């Protein structure tokens, strides 16, 4: 579904050229959930931008559905850290916007939106506006907004990082429930190693910037998983330690560079 071969991205900056990611090799199959972790500023969001076609690669190849990415490929859903919920639209109209944009009739778009609003647990809130919802509820709207388009490739950039710990756990469970059986290939970027391990089949550790893939771990936890329970198991702690050993060095390098912008 997603293939990156030696993908490299350079940005022109005032001081010359800045390499954000270099030689990234990654392939994600249908129905596979991959989490990407790495220190702040290393190039995680840039990796998603290449897959989604928002930015072209400077070198290497990026394929989605076996075709080189040029512009935004069909079937790609993108959930950003800051959700794209529009404040002046009701929950129903926010969720129906995607299908409408894709040419679905108003009636059918609204029917599909209602169905997804129910699936994310917001039945009864169709007529509410975003400011009338809690942060967790807005994330549910954003999730419905993304999933209503039935993406075969789902890109998520720290979608739950602004939420409190309990709401986050709930959203992780919701996501697993909604994704399971959908066949979607997921790339989920997060700072939070615990979140990565709770959700993913594989966890990819990126180096300090310019990011390349340092190591990949298979998560040996059965599905279906319960976000709150799985993190208390001995298997979880073992894999956590193993991945953290790899990630810690990169976080350290980034810290030693100081300034927090990791340039
Ligand atoms: N459009 C752009 N133009 C110039 N530089 C950019 C652009 N996008 C990203 N960069 C630079 O590329 C590097 C990687 O940025 P990116 O946003 O991919 O990091 P990240 O790993 O997602 O960070 P964080 O964890 O803080 O979200 C940074 O140094 C950033 O300043
Ligand atoms: Mg980012």
């Amino acid at each position: 579904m997603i293939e990156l071969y030696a993908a490299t991205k350079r940005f022109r900056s005032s001081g010359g050229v800045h390499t954000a990611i270099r030689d990234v090799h990654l392939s994600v199959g249908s129905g596979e959930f991959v989490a990407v972790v790495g220190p702040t500023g290393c190039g995680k969001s840039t990796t998603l931008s290449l897959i989604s076609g928002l930015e072209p690669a400077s070198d290497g190849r990026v394929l989605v559905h076996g075709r080189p990415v040029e512009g935004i490929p069909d079937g790609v859903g993108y959930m950003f850290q800051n959700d794209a919920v529009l404040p002046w639209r009701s929950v129903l109209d926010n969720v129906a916007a995607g299908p409408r944009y894709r040419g679905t009739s108003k009636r059918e778009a609204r029917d599909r939106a209602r169905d997804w609003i129910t699936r994310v647990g917001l039945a009864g809130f169709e007529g509410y506006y975003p400011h009338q919802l809690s942060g967790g509820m807005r994330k549910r709207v954003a999730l419905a907004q993304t999933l209503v388009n039935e993406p075969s490739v789902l890109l998520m950039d720290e979608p739950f990082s602004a939420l409190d710990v309990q709401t986050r756990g709930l959203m992780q469970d919701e996501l697993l429930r909604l994704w399971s059986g959908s066949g979607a290939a997921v790339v989920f970027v997060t700072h939070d190693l615990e979140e990565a391990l709770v959700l993913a089949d594989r966890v990819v550790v990126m180096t300090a910037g310019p990011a390349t893939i340092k190591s990949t771990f298979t998560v040996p936890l059965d599905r279906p998983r319960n976000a709150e329970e799985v993190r208390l198991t001995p298997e979880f702690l073992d894999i956590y330690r193993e991945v953290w050993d790899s990630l810690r060095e990169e976080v350290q390098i980034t810290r030693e560079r100081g300034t927090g912008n990791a340039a």
Side-chain angles (χ1 to χ4, degrees), residues 11-13 18-21 38-47 55 81 157-158 189 191 261-263:
F11 290 109
R12 231 177 285 280
S13 68
H18 173 79
T19 305
I21 65 170
T40 183
C42 76
K44 301 181 296 295
S45 297
T46 301
T47 306
E55 293 278 1
Q81 181 164 358
D157 197 351
E158 310 208 35
V189 165
H191 275 105
N261 67 17

Side-chain angles (χ1 to χ4, degrees), residues 169-192:
L170 280 176
M171 291 308 295
Q172 289 162 357
D173 276 333
E174 291 289 351
L175 173 62
L176 288 180
R177 184 173 62 78
L178 296 167
W179 161 75
S180 71
S182 72
V186 184
V187 181
F188 189 104
V189 165
T190 176
H191 275 105
D192 180 349

Side-chain angles (χ1 to χ4, degrees), residues 127-219:
Y128 280 55
Y129 286 81
H131 75 274
Q132 299 171 305
L133 306 174
S134 71
M137 291 161 90
R138 271 204 305 277
K139 282 292 165 196
R140 288 173 189 270
V141 177
L143 199 55
Q145 220 174 23
T146 308
L147 297 178
V148 72
N149 301 313
E150 297 179 353
S152 51
V153 168
L154 182 55
L155 308 176
M156 306 185 88
D157 197 351
E158 310 208 35
F160 306 144
S161 60
L163 298 173
D164 64 82
V165 176
Q166 286 86 18
T167 311
R168 223 171 162 178
L170 280 176
M171 291 308 295
Q172 289 162 357
D173 276 333
E174 291 289 351
L175 173 62
L176 288 180
R177 184 173 62 78
L178 296 167
W179 161 75
S180 71
S182 72
V186 184
V187 181
F188 189 104
V189 165
T190 176
H191 275 105
D192 180 349
L193 179 53
E194 211 174 283
E195 178 168 69
L197 292 167
V198 162
L199 296 173
D201 300 310
R202 264 192 298 143
V203 174
V204 168
V205 177
M206 295 193 109
T207 62
T212 194
I213 289 176
K214 180 182 186 184
S215 44
T216 301
F217 299 85
T218 299
V219 182

